[in-house]
Amino acid sequence: MVRQLFPGRRPLEGISLELFSEDDLRALHYATMDVFINTGIQVSDAAARAVFKEGGCLVDEKTQIVKIPEYVVNRALLDCPSKFVLWGRDKKNNVKQEHKGKVHWTCFGTGVKMCNYQAPGKYTTVDSTEKDLADTAKICDWAENINYYSLAVSARDWAGKGAQDVHETLTPLMNTTKHFHHIDPVGENVEYYQQIAVAYYGGDAEEARKKPLFSTLVCPTSPLELSVNACQVIMKGAKFGTPVNVLSMAMAGGSSPVHLAGTLVTHNAEVLAGIVLAQLVQPGAPVWYGSSTTTFDLKKGTAPVGSPELGLISAAVAKLGQYYGLPTFVAGS
């Protein structure tokens, strides 16, 4: 049995890293509300803009800028569930997500290459395939320290054939009894993902809603945009009861302010905008407060996921998620 950790619990239990006081968290929140009402969020999807407008937001159709009043944000946060269950095909692998609870682990993705090792220090790289996807799902199903499976590699042999993302949903569900976290969903195909889950439950759409076998991850486009695809995944996920992970991948010094405090503000605005959209579509829709935000390597032009700044940002994001009462998902080692 894997022993889980409880972050922030006292005394002598789990781990805790207190980066902010309550006043600091409120300051970040108020700065985010300033961004919402003065700068706004670009919402590229017309249907999503209509939802925001009906929910009480200020919408400029010409610029596609949506300004979100604080009361709309607060109402959405009140509607968000503080916990929900990620269902697996085997109930023993169900995972409860809580805003203050156990730390769970998943694999990283999505890779597009596999290494063929021939001898120590010698290998070749090839495009990953649907078989590689199935194999990684089986490995994660076996690994006790991984609580649910995220899309580890892409089925590149299906690229350009019009159904790659659907195969990247069906294949993991067939090869793991754990919950599947789809981190490369395509908005226009979410109905097909749901049909797969409904078929598993013998055609019972309500059962598929109550016991979601898969969840999705979407990234706002930094700085401060919800793309058409992100909006479609969020809205359809809310409609179907699919947990949605709204995860910013801002880069401090690149697509967000170079100062980490400023990056946290734009990060917060991007994630909350997606969460507000989900709650406007369906109050009570299960959502994560997500982050893979890091710094930008100005010399190499990369986003170093293993940087010390990512660790600091992830710890800060975890506190923000707890501040809002939301289950939180952050990049780690």
Side-chain angles (χ1 to χ4, degrees), residues 32 36 41 220-226 246-250 255-256 265-275 293:
T32 304
F36 273 156
I41 301 289
T221 305
S222 299
L224 303 175
E225 181 195 1
L226 291 178
V246 186
L247 180 145
S248 176
M249 297 182 71
S255 59
S256 66
V265 172
T266 58
H267 172 108
N268 198 32
E270 292 167 1
V271 174
L272 288 182
I275 288 172
T293 291

Side-chain angles (χ1 to χ4, degrees), residues 89-90 93 135-144 146 149 175-179:
R89 289 194 291 115
D90 189 330
N93 291 324
D135 289 344
T136 58
K138 290 173 183 176
I139 289 172
C140 289
D141 192 74
W142 163 82
E144 292 183 356
I146 295 179
Y149 176 70
N175 287 279
T176 180
T177 60
K178 296 178 179 179
H179 183 82

Side-chain angles (χ1 to χ4, degrees), residues 42-97:
Q42 180 180 334
V43 179
S44 299
D45 184 75
R49 292 196 300 274
V51 170
F52 276 115
K53 186 173 183 178
E54 185 177 349
C57 301
L58 307 174
V59 178
D60 187 324
E61 288 292 340
K62 184 176 181 180
T63 63
Q64 301 184 347
I65 295 297
V66 173
K67 296 186 176 181
I68 309 174
E70 186 174 5
Y71 80 89
V72 176
V73 179
N74 291 339
R75 184 178 63 198
L77 289 170
L78 286 172
D79 288 333
C80 289
S82 61
K83 60 183 178 180
F84 52 85
V85 176
L86 305 177
W87 286 76
R89 289 194 291 115
D90 189 330
K91 291 182 180 179
K92 74 178 183 181
N93 291 324
N94 289 356
V95 177
K96 183 185 290 185
Q97 299 288 277

